[in-house]
Amino acid sequence: MPASATRPNILLIMTDQQRSDSLGCYGSTSAHTPNLDQLAADGVHFETC
């Protein structure tokens, strides 16, 4: 098996226009962010960094 097949796929998305209080995955209702919310639900999001 090639080395690349044993490594995990990692996608890191960093946005500089959203604060945590403007994303639905952190509980906000002021903005509609379904795509970012789905990515957070399917992956990992950090709450204290």
Side-chain angles (χ1 to χ4, degrees), residues 5-49:
T6 61
R7 295 180 184 166
N9 292 322
I10 298 174
L11 174 64
L12 177 63
I13 297 176
M14 298 176 64
T15 62
D16 63 351
Q17 298 297 315
Q18 289 84 26
R19 299 182 331 189
S20 63
D21 61 354
S22 68
L23 295 170
C25 61
Y26 289 108
S28 174
T29 57
S30 64
H32 185 65
T33 57
N35 294 325
L36 291 174
D37 298 343
Q38 187 63 45
L39 285 170
D42 291 343
V44 175
H45 66 279
F46 300 95
E47 297 187 17
T48 57
C49 61

